[in-house]
């Protein structure tokens, strides 16, 4: 039987937001915060805050609210940020290099071990201290190295085959930047990042008011 998560995707998507906002509060030397105050900061209702956090147990105290540092630490544990992860990047183009160059990942336990690409122009270059290797070496490399997460930054036509190869090599999670939804076996986590989707949503928000004004005007005519 396939495993079904006890927590909705919507709640899981909000967890990094909680972690980030609590980190900002910590930097501001704020020791405690109520669900109402946290909700106002995150544009959520106090009820939503409590419901989300109660999915993982009660961390607040009535009349006191939440201890900022303790809640941040607990959410970090829920997100698995108290572990170290071995990461490999497949695709050394613009997106792959941007991920490799971001120093914040290592600070949160995501340690990039290697990069691979098929392009002769990219194989052999140094990206933030990591030498880009040929894709021909990926299979053998996976046999001798532990990999938890793969960053997939390849053209869509190669994404599924590459993902299959990574899974066969023992990879348990894929952060997919290819503009295609991957089909993966049960037990392999995937997060599909479609960059154009974010721009489409932003474009919608820019035009939302005019859209519904036109719809309402059409109903009245």
């Amino acid at each position: 039987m396939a495993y079904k998560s006890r927590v909705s995707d919507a709640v899981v998507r909000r967890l990094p937001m909680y972690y980030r906002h609590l980190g900002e509060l910590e930097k501001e030397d704020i020791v405690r915060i109520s669900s109402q105050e946290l909700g106002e900061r995150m544009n959520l209702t106090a009820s939503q805050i409590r419901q989300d956090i109660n999915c993982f147990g009660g961390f607040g105290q009535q009349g006191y609210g939440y201890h900022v540092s303790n809640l941040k630490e607990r959410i970090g544990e829920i997100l698995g940020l108290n572990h170290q992860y071995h990461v490999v990047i497949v695709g050394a183009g613009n997106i792959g290099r941007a991920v490799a160059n971001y120093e914040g990942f290592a600070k949160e336990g995501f340690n990039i071990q290697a990069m691979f690409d098929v392009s002769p122009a990219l194989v052999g270059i140094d990206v933030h201290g990591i030498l880009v290797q040929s894709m021909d070496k990926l299979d053998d490399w996976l046999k001798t190295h532990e990999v938890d997460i793969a960053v997939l930054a390849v053209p869509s036509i190669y994404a599924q085959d590459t993902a299959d190869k990574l899974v066969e090599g023992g990879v348990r999670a894929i952060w997919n930047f290819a503009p295609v939804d991957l089909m993966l076996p049960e037990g392999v986590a995937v997060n599909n990042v479609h960059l154009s989707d974010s721009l489409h949503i932003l474009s919608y928000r820019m035009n939302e008011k005019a859209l519904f004004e036109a719809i309402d005007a059409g109903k009245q005519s």
Side-chain angles (χ1 to χ4, degrees), residues 30-199:
I30 296 173
V31 176
R32 69 183 179 93
I33 190 167
S34 69
S35 55
Q36 181 68 37
E37 292 167 329
L38 185 56
E40 290 173 356
R41 186 180 183 108
M42 296 179 61
N43 198 28
L44 296 171
T45 65
S47 175
Q48 185 68 72
I49 297 281
R50 291 192 294 269
Q51 288 178 35
D52 287 355
I53 293 174
N54 285 343
C55 287
F56 306 95
F59 308 129
Q61 298 177 3
Q62 191 167 4
Y64 179 87
Y66 300 105
H67 188 284
V68 169
S69 293
N70 288 350
L71 182 58
K72 175 177 174 284
E73 180 180 4
R74 185 69 183 101
I75 290 178
E77 291 172 355
I78 292 166
L79 288 168
L81 301 182
N82 55 332
H83 300 290
Q84 295 291 314
Y85 298 99
H86 299 95
V87 181
V88 61
I89 299 175
V90 181
N94 292 333
I95 292 175
R97 293 200 303 274
V99 171
N101 281 313
Y102 180 61
E103 296 179 352
F105 293 135
K107 294 177 182 177
E108 294 188 339
F110 301 95
N111 302 297
I112 298 170
Q113 307 293 307
M115 294 183 70
F116 296 87
D117 203 283
V118 297
S119 171
L122 295 174
V123 172
I125 69 170
D126 182 286
V127 181
H128 204 71
I130 301 170
L131 191 69
V132 178
Q133 302 179 58
S134 170
M135 278 291 292
D136 295 338
K137 298 181 178 180
L138 178 61
D139 287 342
D140 288 339
W141 194 90
L142 290 172
K143 292 176 183 177
T144 56
H145 295 78
E146 179 184 356
V147 180
D148 302 300
I149 301 171
V151 178
L152 191 60
V154 300
S156 58
I157 58 172
Y158 304 115
Q160 186 64 57
D161 287 344
T162 306
D164 292 341
K165 181 180 295 188
L166 290 164
V167 172
E168 288 172 8
V171 174
R172 298 183 295 139
I174 295 178
W175 195 16
N176 175 38
F177 285 88
V180 60
D181 292 331
L182 299 174
M183 301 294 292
L184 298 174
E186 182 181 344
V188 179
V190 62
N191 187 9
N192 296 303
V193 182
H194 300 319
L195 297 178
S196 60
D197 288 4
S198 296
L199 277 176

